[in-house]
């Protein structure tokens, strides 16, 4: 069930309506029912896996609370992590692991291969809810209070707005809000308006910008043999914005949906393409995942406490694993390693001069360079395999092409809409970067202006979603991770 489908909006309307008027003590039960219905719309059997991970980490948290011996606590956490990550490995990485061994055996010329493969459906969101629940267990081990209410904990793990693609939340943020949900007043109209505005902006990013960019990008990469260097590079630049608008669009819809239902999710993006260095970029992009790896992998590995060499090695390890988290393919590992090397280079060679003392022209130059290196790394992220990546790189060296080819990929109507949408995106991000809240500005306008704006955005999303070259509802990119 995609956020930009009619099915979702019918489901969401019913979920919110019942939540607002049901007995307060029954709110969590209703939310749990909604969460599992939402998930089972993808696959009923996968809901059993979600329930198992929930029970496993819930029981682990309770055991940790009653266990006094530090050594025993470590064994309990280790056992939970092994079980949780083994499930993730089997469903997401087993075939990749076997294929990698077979490729290595073929390279050695032994003639032997492993014929074992698993024909398993990758459960939607498994990387997200596994990381979220394991993070909860580690927090309990570190001293956070374990959750006793199984229903509340199950709602936390399966909360449908962020179940498919995050943000990867922390227990202390969501569980406390779910506790307030049992007694609080949900009909806070200011909060509801904020949620609606977030949803509208997310839908605009997804339907108007990301899906239209996808038409260009998919056309070029699906027929790369017909295009030259200029068109392929243009597609790569546009893919950076497709990925951003698709993922940030999902996050804004998720945050808006959650806010309407009385829960505030963490900010997952902070205008990443306005970053002026690679470290700044990772402080702005997929913030929940970056902070998860920092708190639960980088710091336990030693962080920056064991010398400079160990610090840079830890950075490389974290980014390689982050790449693998995104997908069971070596191109994702390369993408992560490239970012790790860029961050190591920045740590070793960057100037200590503070950003606030740098001139605007220097910031602009640094921003362009940062976007360029990030965009080059996205090339490996977009590819389905290393073979495809090398084939496209080879095609780029054969033909330059001309600027008319760039304009000819999309029809005039889609191209003009895309240009307007991109201009709006840049203006909104620049305004927010200045600390100005567009939502607050909109809410401060006359009621007639607000509702004309709301109706206009909704109408544009519906019209442009129907009258485009997109074949049906296009799934969010990060659902595959």
């Amino acid at each position: 069930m995609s956020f930009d489908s009619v099915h979702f909006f019918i489901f969401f309307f019913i979920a919110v309506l019942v939540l607002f008027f049901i007995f307060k003590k029954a709110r969590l039960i209703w939310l749990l029912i909604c969460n599992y219905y939402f998930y089972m719309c993808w696959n009923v059997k996968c809901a059993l896996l979600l329930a198992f991970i929930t029970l496993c980490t819930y029981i682990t948290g309770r055991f940790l609370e009653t266990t006094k011996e530090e050594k025993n606590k470590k064994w309990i956490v280790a056992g939970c992590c092994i079980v949780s990550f083994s499930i993730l490995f089997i469903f997401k990485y087993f075939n990749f692991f076997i294929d990698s061994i077979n490729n290595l055996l073929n390279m050695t010329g032994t003639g032997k291969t492993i014929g074992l493969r698993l024909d398993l459906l990758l459960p939607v969101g498994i990387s997200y809810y596994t990381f979220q629940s394991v993070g909860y267990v580690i927090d309990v081990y570190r001293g956070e209070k374990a959750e006793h209410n199984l229903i509340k904990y199950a709602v936390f793990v399966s909360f449908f707005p962020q179940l498919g693609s995050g943000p990867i939340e922390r227990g202390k943020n969501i569980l406390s809000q779910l506790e307030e949900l049992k007694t609080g007043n949900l009909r806070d109209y200011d909060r509801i308006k904020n949620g609606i505005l977030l949803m509208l902006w997310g839908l605009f990013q997804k339907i108007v910008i990301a899906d239209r960019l996808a038409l260009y990008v998919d056309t070029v990469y699906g027929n790369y043999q017909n295009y030259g260097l200029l068109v392929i590079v243009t597609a790569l630049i546009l893919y950076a914005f497709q990925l951003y608008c698709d993922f940030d669009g999902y996050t804004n819809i998720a945050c808006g949906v959650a806010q309407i239902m009385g829960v505030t999710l963490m900010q997952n993006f902070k205008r990443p393409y306005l970053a002026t260095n690679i470290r700044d970029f990772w402080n702005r992009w997929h913030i929940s995942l970056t902070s998860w790896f920092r708190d639960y992998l980088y710091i336990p590995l030693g962080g920056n406490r064991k010398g400079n060499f160990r610090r840079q090695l830890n950075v490389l390890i974290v980014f390689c694993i982050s790449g693998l988290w995104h997908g069971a393919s070596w191109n994702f590992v390369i993408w992560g390693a490239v970012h790790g090397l860029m961050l190591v280079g920045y740590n070793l060679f960057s100037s200590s001069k503070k950003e606030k003392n740098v001139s605007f022209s220097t910031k602009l130059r640094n921003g362009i360079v940062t976007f360029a290196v990030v965009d080059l790394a996205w090339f490996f992220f977009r590819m389905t395999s290393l073979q495809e990546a090398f084939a496209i790189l080879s095609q780029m060296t054969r033909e330059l092409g001309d600027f008319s080819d760039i304009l000819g990929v999309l029809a005039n109507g889609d191209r003009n809409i895309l240009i307007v949408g991109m201009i709006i995106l840049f203006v909104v991000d620049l305004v927010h970067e200045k600390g100005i809240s567009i939502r607050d500005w909109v809410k401060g306008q006359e009621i007639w202006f607000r509702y004309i704006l709301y109706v206009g955005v909704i109408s544009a999303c519906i019209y442009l979603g129907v009258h485009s070259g997109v074949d049906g509802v296009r799934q969010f990119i990060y659902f595959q991770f």
Side-chain angles (χ1 to χ4, degrees):
M1 192 194 307
S2 182
F3 279 173
D4 53 344
S5 67
V6 175
H7 185 187
F8 172 77
F9 283 102
I10 294 172
F11 157 76
F12 177 57
F13 178 76
I14 295 172
V16 169
L17 191 65
V18 175
L19 187 67
F20 279 12
F21 294 100
I22 200 172
F23 291 115
K24 292 181 178 180
K25 292 183 179 179
R27 284 175 177 171
L28 290 182
I29 297 174
W30 172 246
L31 258 185
L32 187 61
I33 293 170
C34 292
N35 293 345
Y36 273 81
Y37 171 79
F38 179 82
Y39 197 67
M40 287 189 291
C41 285
W42 281 305
N43 187 283
V44 174
K45 293 179 182 178
C46 290
L48 297 174
L49 191 63
L50 174 61
F52 176 79
I53 293 290
T54 300
L55 280 173
C56 178
T57 50
Y58 169 79
I59 293 169
T60 301
R62 296 299 303 273
F63 271 133
L64 285 172
E65 191 176 48
T66 57
T67 303
K68 303 301 180 184
E69 293 274 345
E70 180 67 20
K71 183 179 179 181
N72 292 338
K73 285 186 175 183
K74 289 182 178 179
W75 279 111
I76 291 171
V77 173
C80 179
C81 289
I82 289 170
V83 171
S84 300
F85 290 134
S86 293
I87 292 172
L88 180 61
F89 174 82
I90 290 170
F91 278 89
K92 190 170 181 178
Y93 300 105
F94 182 83
N95 289 339
F96 166 70
F97 178 73
I98 295 297
D99 290 343
S100 298
I101 292 177
N102 286 338
N103 290 335
L104 186 61
L105 291 173
N106 289 331
M107 290 171 62
T108 59
T110 60
K112 297 179 180 179
T113 58
I114 302 173
L116 179 62
R117 286 184 65 83
L118 298 178
D119 185 18
L120 297 173
L121 175 70
L122 179 64
V124 171
I126 185 172
S127 298
Y128 293 93
Y129 64 72
T130 299
F131 270 41
Q132 182 162 300
S133 52
V134 168
Y136 159 82
V137 167
I138 296 173
D139 286 342
V140 173
Y141 167 74
R142 291 174 174 175
E144 294 285 340
K145 185 178 181 298
E147 179 54 55
H148 289 202
N149 187 325
L150 177 57
I151 293 176
K152 192 204 301 184
Y153 180 74
V155 172
F156 157 68
V157 176
S158 63
F159 191 44
F160 77 84
Q162 41 99 213
L163 181 60
S165 293
I168 303 171
E169 279 288 356
R170 307 299 174 88
K172 60 184 177 182
N173 178 36
I174 301 299
L175 290 169
S176 59
Q177 294 187 69
L178 294 178
E179 182 65 30
E180 295 174 6
L181 204 65
K182 296 192 297 184
T183 57
N185 176 26
L186 291 181
R187 293 189 284 278
D188 180 340
Y189 295 107
D190 191 54
R191 192 195 70 244
I192 292 170
K193 283 188 290 185
N194 278 334
I196 291 172
L197 286 171
L198 263 178
M199 288 182 67
L200 289 177
W201 176 238
L203 287 168
F204 182 85
Q205 286 177 293
K206 168 63 175 171
I207 296 173
V208 178
I209 304 178
D211 285 355
R212 207 155 253 95
L213 285 169
L215 292 176
Y216 193 103
V217 174
D218 292 350
T219 297
V220 172
Y221 284 113
N223 306 275
Y224 64 87
Q225 303 89 343
N226 301 327
Y227 298 103
L229 175 66
L230 290 176
V231 175
I232 294 175
V233 169
T234 301
L236 180 60
I237 294 171
L238 295 182
Y239 175 70
F241 292 98
Q242 178 202 348
L243 189 62
Y244 171 47
C245 289
D246 191 280
F247 197 9
D248 190 41
Y250 172 93
T251 302
N252 285 323
I253 298 170
C255 290
V257 167
Q259 198 164 101
I260 292 170
M261 303 180 83
V263 177
T264 301
L265 299 178
M266 70 179 294
Q267 185 179 16
N268 210 21
F269 289 89
K270 194 177 179 182
R271 302 166 295 282
Y273 293 144
L274 297 181
T276 55
N277 58 65
I278 193 65
R279 182 189 292 170
D280 188 25
F281 173 80
W282 279 106
N283 286 332
R284 296 166 176 261
W285 179 275
H286 207 344
I287 299 169
S288 65
L289 181 67
T290 304
S291 62
W292 196 98
F293 275 115
R294 180 197 65 212
D295 294 344
Y296 303 121
L297 184 58
Y298 176 73
I299 291 176
L301 283 173
N304 55 6
R305 306 186 305 276
K306 297 187 177 182
N308 195 39
F309 174 79
R310 182 64 179 272
R311 176 194 178 193
Q312 308 313 327
L313 179 62
N314 291 340
V315 168
L316 277 175
I317 292 172
V318 167
F319 273 92
C320 286
I321 294 176
S322 174
L324 194 59
W325 178 91
H326 282 86
S329 177
W330 284 110
N331 54 297
F332 287 113
V333 179
I334 291 174
W335 170 79
V338 168
H339 272 279
L341 289 170
M342 288 192 294
L343 195 56
V344 167
Y346 177 81
N347 290 339
L348 294 175
F349 303 112
S350 66
S351 170
S352 59
K353 193 174 183 180
K354 292 186 177 180
E355 189 75 19
K356 64 180 181 180
N357 296 326
V358 176
S359 66
F360 174 78
S361 60
T362 302
K363 285 185 178 181
L364 181 61
R365 182 199 65 201
N366 291 345
I368 293 172
V369 171
T370 300
F371 175 79
V373 295
V374 167
D375 194 40
L376 286 173
W378 284 138
F379 176 77
F380 292 99
F381 194 91
R382 174 60 177 75
M383 297 302 103
T384 57
S385 66
L386 288 180
Q387 290 82 358
E388 183 186 30
F390 292 138
I392 293 176
L393 288 172
S394 175
Q395 175 66 19
M396 292 167 69
T397 62
R398 293 175 188 164
E399 183 181 347
L400 178 62
D402 53 52
F403 288 100
S404 63
D405 294 334
I406 296 174
L407 300 177
V409 175
L410 284 183
N412 289 339
D414 282 325
R415 188 168 65 242
N416 294 337
I417 291 168
L418 184 55
I419 291 171
V420 173
M422 292 288 286
I423 291 172
I424 293 173
L425 175 70
F426 279 116
V427 170
V428 168
D429 274 7
L430 287 171
V431 168
H432 283 160
E433 187 72 6
K434 294 294 184 180
I436 301 170
S437 172
I438 293 179
R439 273 186 291 162
D440 290 343
W441 178 82
V442 169
K443 289 189 299 180
Q445 304 306 306
E446 297 290 338
I447 188 169
W448 62 267
F449 176 85
R450 295 203 308 270
Y451 281 94
I452 288 175
L453 180 64
Y454 299 157
V455 172
V457 174
I458 294 171
S459 301
C461 289
I462 293 173
Y463 179 82
L464 295 175
V466 173
H467 296 278
S468 73
V470 180
D471 185 16
V473 174
R474 185 181 289 271
Q475 198 64 274
F476 288 89
I477 293 174
Y478 262 69
F479 272 20
Q480 65 184 297
F481 306 137

